Amino acid sequence: MADGTRSVRGGSPASSPVLGGGGRATAVAAAAGGSSPPGHGFRRVTLTKPTFCHYCTDFIWGLAGYQCEVCNFMSHEKCLKNIKIPCSCVAPSLVRVPVAHCFGSPGHYKRKFCTVCRKSLESPALRCEVCELHVHTDCILFACSDCRQCHQDGHQDHDTYHHHWREGNLSSSARCEVCKKTCGSSEVLSGMRCEWCGILAHAACYVIVTPECTFGRLRNMILPPSCVQLFSRNFSKLHCFRVTENLQTEPDEDDDVDGSTQGSTKDVQISTDSSKQMLKIFDGNDAVKRNQFRLISVPRIAKNEEVVEAALRAYYINDDEQEYELQTFTQQALLSDDVINRNDAVEDSNLSSVFRESVPEAWIIRAKPKDEEVIRIYPAWLKVGMAYVSLRVNKDSTTQTVVKEVLPLLGKQTECLENYKLVEVLMGSKQVQRMVLDNQELILNRLKDIRKTSIRQMNQTRLYIVENNKSIVRVNLLVGGLPPQLSREEYINILKAELAIKTNVVSVSHVYQAQGAVVLEISCFSEAERIYMLVKDTTVNDKPLNVVVIPEVVASKIPQNCCPVLVFVNPKSGGLKGRDLLYSFRKLLNPHQVFELTNGGPLPGFHTFCKVPSFRVLVCGGDGTVGWVLGALEEIRHKLACSEPSVAILPLGTGNDLGRVLRWGAGYSGEDPYSILVSVDEADDVLMDRWTILLDADEPAEGAENGVAEPEPPKIVQMNNYCGLGIDAELSLDFHHAREEEPGKFNSRFHNKGVYVKVGLQKISHTRNLHKDIKLQVDQQEVELPSIEGLIFINIPSWGSGADLWGSDSDNRFEKPRIDDGLLEVVGVTGVVHMGQVQGGFRSGIRIAQGSYFRVTLLKPIPVQVDGEPWIQAPGRIIISAAGPKVHMLKKSKKQKKTGNMKEMRGDMSISEGGR
């Protein structure tokens, strides 16, 4: 093999000057006086409707413009020479590190554009839950695996991160960080945005930005990807990032799920023109089996090359049409995979042969066999500072000979061949698949098999040379829903019985007895996948188990000044706002630090951060959600390296009293999630008391066996805001019952408050003598109660959606209330009317006592509510006392920094002085 056939290309793939481009693109660019646009095939077209340039975003005046025949990029003639955005057909070759996307369920996205075909998303489309990629359902097969790398997976790990640019779908007011001019557009896919630091730039300006990314204004809140390890292999991205699957409507988990008959007509307008005909084009055997084809429109009399070129464009391939041919088949041939090669009949007359009306409507595009070929070998995993090595192979070239020839080009002449292997990587949009090639496998035969399976897959396949090191597999699964308060051995026995775990590859690394959960450390991928799928269908004591894939955070790699924020979101709070916030926070932060509370509760998040030396918590939900998270924190704080993280609140509930006290507002009303994170970063740390309530009932538990009445065991609950007895709890109980009957209606704060008013009016004429049914002791002293219908213990100066129940009047009998004074205030209300007057600010409650230890004796069943959770408490005793150490909360700072344009803070950008 001649030396002239080998070449080494330096730099990253994104900086490669050779981007593939067809002859037509070159001719158009030459006519415009510039170099070839990156991979585009531009053709002059007549405009029939208002059109905007995708490069400069200006309106294209006149009737003529230039359109890429592959990706639909529209341009002025004057802009052709400046285009830097590559065509969709070459995008896979420019990917630095192949990372699959995490697509959620199809939805409608207004003013968004498909990254592949650049057209508006008018029909249901898909979006990645981790990055800003939007794509049509039938374009998903052609989206390259260029998602954000949010963790290290043992393949292409590095500590230096570059900007991760994503084109388009910016607001029309977005401004370029380089030239300060508008770079967004609501009319076309335009402008660039780094998905880590958030800086914005024109397509012509982003190339002069220093490539290293510093994560922008939120750098101290983001969990750096280099600190997170997750060995996922074939786990779905939805599993890795804990994205709820109950709304998924896609037919299967394979990468090839869309792009079939239903949506493939989007790119081809069915015409009544009798001179045109529609053809079904399959790109290989896999498409035939799945019946996934693309439609093209061609003249009824056309040359073979024209039809082949149109077929390649339909599959976003801009190769030389001379290297491909079309094969036709009948229905019988379709079933038997016996494909007839029409072009072989007259091999030398391809240039003159034509398609006529009698041709079949379905065709398979095939690559012509080659005796030799130039292939690219990527050495990225070896970190040698170059993008790829070009190597010419022939029919006798094997994997071993390729490795032998590539190593000297990489400066590894003295290395042993047995220390390296050749890995085939399929960069699918939903999954990156890796396969080690056998040493004796013929390379050309392997490439032929791939092209026979799918021409599109060949365009998304790379060959990597990798060191043959034995990697350590370690997959962590958190299994919850087990019976609480068992020993490690008892949990292992349950898992052996229910899941048949293999103890030689599975070990229990952590046990959370109070929560009934264990963490399994698994050293075999197939065993981890088996356990994950089996847990979903397993119940223990009639309670379903749940499982979460847990990443491992390497605390030693976290920068000293980094204090990442752990985000909990309750998607059931605030209507649909919870799910929107989940999506937004996954974009702004590392998705491995954002947890959905309906998927295993707070425990997976706290376990993930158990080794992080310093972190903060942001809870998105109502007061009940905040109490849930604080309760879980109290139970496992002794297992955390940061045992006292500060907690901020994004109020999504109905009352949101704790959020009001800490200045986070009465409720979320659509504020920019980025500005919320900045406020969390600037918030002040304060202390807050928490209280333990012991419920000791005298009456026997229901359903006692053999007629023997046994007393119900004492129950302990935690209180953050307030505890109410009597009329206050009775209204909460009626509201709770109404919500249980019709949960779908309780999706807005306005409706919820309306229901509260309704149940209050129904109770307005009722009279109770609560003071006769209970006895109160405060700090071991009996307290005589006035004539009241409700008794409320308050820890914060906000009750019932912001009302000041204690009042602001000075009183020498009591100290001024604070949330960290170690005291509770006891207030009475005389009825529903009194409560309404307090809510309206016309009155305050009846001040009864202030203390740190309370004992309430119930003489009859009384409605009780703690932080909005109501029930009927049987006669007995209620003891309220301080709950250990005070909890650290974050109070929104009054002195917010004047940031001016918030977008200017989203990235700290350095511009190279030398330009490009």
Side-chain angles (χ1 to χ4, degrees), residues 223-397:
L223 187 64
S226 58
C227 305
V228 185
Q229 290 184 350
L230 180 60
F231 301 91
S232 57
R233 201 178 76 164
N234 290 334
F235 275 114
S236 165
K237 284 290 183 176
L238 296 173
H239 300 160
C240 294
F241 295 115
R242 304 164 304 280
V243 178
T244 303
E245 300 176 78
N246 55 358
L247 297 178
Q248 300 303 313
T249 58
E250 295 166 84
D252 59 53
E253 287 295 322
D254 292 335
D255 182 48
D256 303 324
V257 294
D258 292 304
S260 59
T261 313
Q262 181 177 1
S264 58
T265 58
K266 172 177 64 67
D267 293 324
V268 180
Q269 300 295 328
I270 298 178
S271 175
T272 57
D273 188 354
S274 60
S275 64
K276 299 278 188 177
Q277 64 175 332
M278 302 295 295
L279 299 179
K280 294 180 181 179
I281 302 295
F282 297 89
D283 77 322
N285 295 348
D286 185 66
V288 171
K289 292 176 182 178
R290 295 173 179 268
N291 194 31
Q292 292 178 335
F293 55 84
R294 306 282 287 181
L295 293 177
I296 63 173
S297 175
V298 296
R300 292 192 177 275
I301 300 179
K303 293 183 177 180
N304 278 354
E305 287 82 356
E306 295 175 358
V307 181
V308 171
E309 185 181 9
L312 290 173
R313 289 200 305 267
Y315 281 94
Y316 294 89
I317 298 173
N318 206 18
D319 293 346
D320 186 357
E321 62 270 15
Q322 299 294 336
E323 298 178 357
Y324 296 87
E325 60 189 6
L326 289 175
Q327 297 177 346
T328 184
F329 57 88
T330 61
Q331 284 293 359
Q332 292 79 10
L334 176 61
L335 297 176
S336 64
D337 284 339
D338 182 18
V339 180
I340 303 172
N341 187 345
R342 174 185 181 276
N343 291 330
D344 283 348
V346 190
E347 185 174 346
D348 295 332
S349 61
N350 278 341
L351 292 177
S352 60
S353 61
V354 295
F355 282 81
R356 301 187 184 278
E357 294 186 20
S358 60
V359 301
E361 65 170 3
W363 298 79
I364 304 178
I365 185 170
R366 298 289 194 191
K368 295 179 181 179
K370 301 178 180 180
D371 293 330
E372 61 178 16
E373 185 175 349
V374 176
I375 62 173
R376 292 178 178 180
I377 307 295
Y378 288 80
W381 297 341
L382 301 179
K383 303 179 181 178
V384 294
M386 60 184 64
Y388 57 84
V389 173
S390 295
L391 187 71
R392 187 178 298 276
V393 296
N394 54 38
K395 60 183 180 180
D396 297 324
S397 299

Side-chain angles (χ1 to χ4, degrees), residues 68-127:
C68 175
E69 296 179 298
V70 179
C71 70
N72 302 308
F73 192 106
M74 290 295 305
S75 173
H76 293 101
E77 182 177 359
K78 65 180 180 180
C79 294
L80 287 175
K81 62 179 179 297
N82 300 319
I83 294 175
K84 300 294 187 298
I85 299 299
C87 180
S88 299
C89 65
V90 299
S93 66
L94 306 181
V95 174
R96 293 177 56 88
V97 179
V99 179
H101 292 282
C102 178
F103 290 108
S105 56
H108 293 272
Y109 305 106
K110 297 180 180 179
R111 292 291 185 180
K112 300 292 184 181
F113 297 90
C114 175
T115 305
V116 176
C117 70
R118 310 184 69 88
K119 294 185 178 180
S120 177
L121 300 180
E122 298 174 352
S123 57
L126 298 168
R127 72 177 180 187

Side-chain angles (χ1 to χ4, degrees), residues 89 203 219 255 299 354 457 487 513 585 707 827 893:
C89 65
R219 69 172 67 87
D255 182 48
V354 295
Q457 289 186 13
S487 65
Q513 294 175 321
F585 285 131
V827 183
S893 176

Side-chain angles (χ1 to χ4, degrees), residues 484-501:
Q485 305 301 339
L486 299 182
S487 65
R488 178 186 295 265
E489 290 70 23
E490 289 174 315
Y491 283 127
I492 293 176
N493 291 334
I494 291 176
L495 295 175
K496 285 182 179 179
E498 300 292 339
L499 305 177
I501 63 172

